[in-house]
Structures are given as structure tokens and as C-alpha cells.
Amino acid sequence: MKKRFLFTVFFVLTLNSFVAGEKIRDYSDVTAFLKNLNSSFIVSEINTIKYKDVKYPVYKITYNQLKDKKGKKYLIFSGVHGNEPAPVYAVRDFIISLNKQEISRKDLQIDFVLIVNPYGFEYNQRYNGANLDINRDMTKLESQEAKILTNNFNPKDYDKFFDFHEANAKGFFLYCYGQKNKSLAKKIHEELEKSKVVFDNEYKDNILKVKDGQLDVPFYASMYMKNKKTVTTAIYFKSCSNSFTFETSKNADFNERKKIITQILNFILNY
């Protein structure tokens, strides 16, 4: 009886340790630079994510806020999955570089959410603190994070949407949602080809397969996810004129992944 009790205690403690994981990053440290951005940026705390006694402020980072409706507005997410860190650091460094430059495009506003999933980012796990996949929750809205996104960002307000992720793939690829995105997808690939970026040809997402660095998501696939209420951020923002999910390879060197993301970000800025 005593042995069984000790085994139970050990099992529970081990399970709790596994679930909680180990904190390997600090959200406040990574977002501390936001306090030092110049007048080209407006940083807004749009809400707070809470897990027990831990609170994470959620920031909307607006670059070159347009004073009227003229011009274009882009929306960029990173850190939706907490174990996909390269986009977070690449986007952070990109924002810092913009902070050191004159605004080159007066007609373009970019809104950023640097870390959509702060808890997952700190503990290097895909899901949030309630073990929910935010990138499958844009319909059910069971997660705090998805509710914050839908309450603060309207697809109708944006011309383009870009979400940066990472995958266990052999190379880079992007999700292309429907025919309207193919023209821009081609231009992004052409830009990356200049740097001889390796494109994936093997990654599969259910029945869909990547070809030459592109995974085409047909209309029926988007409708299937809507019917199953497993809508991703890119499908939620599909009513923008362009909506993309970019996937760098987790198997590649970290700095190489950042380099690819930065190249895409610079292309977006000037497109």
C-alpha cells in the first residue's frame, strides 16, 4: 500500500512537471524594446492574457499609422505557435531596423502582433497555457488569444495578411489560399530564389502536399475547415486581398531561418 502511494505521488509530480514544462524564454525581455520605439510607431496594449497568477500584455504595434483611409494596411502575426521562435526574433529585429530608418512608404501602414502566444513562447510549446491550438481556434474562440485577435483585428480593415510559422520540413514553403494569391506567391518565390533558398517538396498537410515550396489550399479545403470550425488565422483573414502563411524549416540553421523571414519582410515592405 505504501509503495503504491509513493508511486502515485511520484507519477503526479512527474506529470505536473511534464505539463508545466520549463520556462526557456522571457516574454517581457523580448518585448522590452517596444518602450524605445520612435514616433514612427504606436504601441497599444490591446488586452491581457492570464494564466493563474501570470499576466501577459498583448501589444498591437502600428508602423506609420495612416491619418486617413488612403493607402494600404498590412497585418503581420508571429508567435502563434510557441515552439516556432525564428519568426518572433526576425520580426522583432525587423521592427528595430525600421525604427532606425526614415519611413520609405508614406502610403503603407503595418500592424504587428509580435507574439500571439506568450505562454507557449516562454515554455517553447505549440499550444497556449490551456493546451489549445490558437491556429485552429479562429471560429470556436475557446482561447483567450483567438478572442483577442478577432476582437481587435477586422479582416475588412486590411489589404494583406501575413502569418509567419515554422514546420518540420526540409525547406521553406508557403500556404497559398486560392487563385487570388498565386500572383504574389510567385513573386515571393522569385525573390527568395535570388538567395538560393531551398524550397520544400515533401511536406504534407493531411491530403495536401507541398510542391516547389508552395502548398495550394483549394476552396473546398478552406470550406472544410470552416465547417469543422478549425479555422486558421490565414483563413480567417482570407477576405484580405492576399493572405499567406509562411513556413521556415525548423531543421535549418536558426540564423538562416531568420534571414529568409527578413527577406520576405523587406519584400512585403516594398511591394
Side-chain angles (χ1 to χ4, degrees):
M1 189 72 178
K2 185 177 180 181
K3 288 183 179 180
R4 182 180 296 179
F5 172 78
L6 290 173
F7 175 80
T8 302
V9 171
F10 174 79
F11 178 79
V12 170
L13 290 173
T14 303
L15 180 63
N16 287 339
S17 174
F18 175 78
V19 172
E22 181 181 352
K23 182 176 175 179
I24 66 169
R25 306 185 191 98
D26 191 283
Y27 178 75
S28 60
D29 284 350
V30 177
T31 57
F33 78 98
L34 296 175
K35 299 174 183 178
N36 300 316
L37 295 179
N38 63 31
S39 58
S40 298
F41 289 88
I42 296 175
V43 179
S44 309
E45 186 177 323
I46 56 176
N47 214 312
T48 302
I49 296 167
K50 301 176 183 178
Y51 290 107
K52 295 184 178 179
D53 58 342
V54 180
K55 296 181 180 180
Y56 300 100
V58 181
Y59 301 106
K60 173 186 176 182
I61 308 159
T62 299
Y63 173 67
N64 187 35
Q65 185 173 47
L66 297 175
K67 296 180 180 179
D68 52 41
K69 293 184 179 180
K70 295 180 181 179
K72 296 181 178 180
K73 292 176 67 176
Y74 296 171
L75 179 60
I76 294 175
F77 287 173
S78 55
V80 173
H81 291 140
N83 61 345
E84 300 171 9
V88 171
Y89 290 101
V91 172
R92 182 197 63 176
D93 291 350
F94 179 70
I95 293 172
I96 291 172
S97 71
L98 290 178
N99 193 53
K100 299 175 181 178
Q101 307 169 20
E102 294 291 329
I103 295 173
S104 58
R105 287 190 58 185
K106 304 290 185 181
D107 66 331
L108 175 62
Q109 172 181 321
I110 306 179
D111 290 343
F112 300 88
V113 180
L114 179 63
I115 306 175
V116 171
N117 180 7
Y119 184 94
F121 178 75
E122 286 199 328
Y123 289 91
N124 197 44
Q125 65 180 40
R126 178 182 177 89
Y127 303 126
N128 69 359
N131 204 34
L132 295 171
D133 188 341
I134 301 164
N135 206 37
R136 297 294 185 274
D137 189 39
M138 297 299 287
T139 302
K140 290 183 179 180
L141 303 179
E142 294 177 334
S143 66
Q144 302 175 60
E145 296 84 356
K147 289 176 184 176
I148 290 171
L149 296 180
T150 56
N151 286 339
N152 288 278
F153 301 98
N154 187 338
K156 295 180 181 178
D157 293 338
Y158 294 94
D159 297 283
K160 301 186 188 303
F161 171 75
F162 306 100
D163 194 7
F164 288 87
H165 286 255
E166 301 201 86
N168 286 313
K170 291 187 176 181
F172 169 85
F173 68 95
L174 59 81
Y175 283 82
C176 184
Y177 299 88
Q179 293 294 322
K180 69 177 183 179
N181 290 304
K182 289 195 172 182
S183 175
L184 181 53
K186 182 179 179 181
K187 292 177 181 178
I188 292 170
H189 278 97
E190 289 173 348
E191 178 65 21
L192 295 177
E193 283 174 350
K194 296 176 184 177
S195 302
K196 298 181 180 180
V197 170
V198 175
F199 296 141
D200 192 80
N201 270 297
E202 297 181 13
Y203 188 85
K204 288 184 178 181
D205 189 339
N206 293 319
I207 64 171
L208 304 176
K209 185 178 179 181
V210 171
K211 181 179 180 182
D212 297 327
Q214 184 162 311
L215 195 153
D216 290 318
V217 182
F219 176 76
Y220 71 82
S222 295
M223 292 306 300
Y224 174 83
M225 295 189 78
K226 288 181 179 179
N227 290 334
K228 289 289 184 179
K229 296 184 178 181
T230 55
V231 167
T232 64
T233 55
I235 292 176
Y236 179 80
F237 286 98
K238 194 181 171 187
S239 57
C240 301
S241 60
N242 292 110
S243 175
F244 287 100
T245 302
F246 299 112
E247 301 272 2
T248 40
S249 170
K250 288 183 178 180
N251 300 309
D253 176 78
F254 188 79
N255 287 325
E256 284 299 313
R257 286 142 60 188
K258 284 182 60 182
K259 185 177 178 181
I260 293 170
I261 297 160
T262 301
Q263 189 173 356
I264 296 170
L265 289 167
N266 281 313
F267 176 83
I268 290 169
L269 178 65
N270 296 294
Y271 180 75

